[in-house]
Amino acid sequence: MEAPAAAHNQAESPLSSPAPQSSGHSFELVVDSPDEMRDLGLRLAKLLRAGDLVMLTGELGAGKTTLTRGLGEGLGVRGAVTSPTFVIARVHPSLGDGPPLVHVDAYRLGGGLDDMEDLDLDVSLPESVIVVEWGEGKVEELTDDRLHLLIHRAVGDTTDEVRHVTLTGVGERWAAVDLSLI
């Protein structure tokens, strides 16, 4: 079961990583299984609306696509949400009156928004929820408002399913959102 992560000393933690943006507010939690990661996506989808940018950062196998699968289910979009690694981006239209989900994998793209220009994310953003895996340093210029999820997992030869997730809301859109309610 998910639980808020215990406070830890950033200087001593093997999970240390710079905060996505110092201007945001953060909440940490622990996810114990892929099913719980999907469930986190389901709960997070309830907070999302058209115009939201969600950035996912984490090692290979951290659960970024699993979380996005839960987002897609929670948003009620069409099509199976799978990793868009080879097509770079997939659009999942809404099956109802909600926004479509644009799922981007920026892993194979170079740096900066210029390299992503052909995807027209700036055009899609106002009417869609855009989720970008590996987007750090590449899509921040799209909007001043974004939700950044940093997913840490044990690396190496391990069967450990535990993930430490830090959610950071950046900008006015996320200032009043209580991320601990997720």
Side-chain angles (χ1 to χ4, degrees), residues 92-163:
H92 298 274
S94 176
L95 292 171
D97 59 357
L101 172 68
V102 178
H103 183 198
V104 179
D105 186 332
Y107 182 75
R108 296 169 20 145
L109 299 176
L113 192 55
D114 290 341
D115 289 348
M116 299 185 71
E117 191 171 285
D118 289 341
L119 299 178
D120 288 331
L121 295 179
D122 55 337
V123 174
S124 300
L125 184 58
E127 71 270 356
S128 304
V129 170
I130 297 181
V131 176
V132 183
E133 297 185 28
W134 306 97
E136 191 170 12
K138 298 175 183 172
V139 296
E140 289 90 340
E141 295 173 25
L142 278 174
T143 179
D144 292 333
D145 301 305
R146 60 193 165 276
L147 183 62
H148 189 165
L149 279 77
L150 182 61
I151 306 169
H152 289 290
R153 70 172 187 90
V155 293
D157 187 18
T158 180
T159 59
D160 188 1
E161 296 289 339
V162 175
R163 306 296 191 257

Side-chain angles (χ1 to χ4, degrees), residues 41-42 45 67-78 81 92 101:
L42 281 166
L67 181 121
T68 307
R69 192 170 295 124
L71 287 173
E73 187 177 335
L75 290 170
V77 299
R78 185 179 68 207
V81 175
H92 298 274
L101 172 68

Side-chain angles (χ1 to χ4, degrees), residues 6 8 13 20 39 46 49 54-55 63-64 67-68 70 74 116 118 133 177 179:
H8 60 278
S13 172
D39 290 345
K46 294 175 184 175
R49 62 184 188 211
V54 179
M55 294 172 37
K64 297 178 296 295
L67 181 121
T68 307
M116 299 185 71
D118 289 341
E133 297 185 28
V177 176
L179 296 174

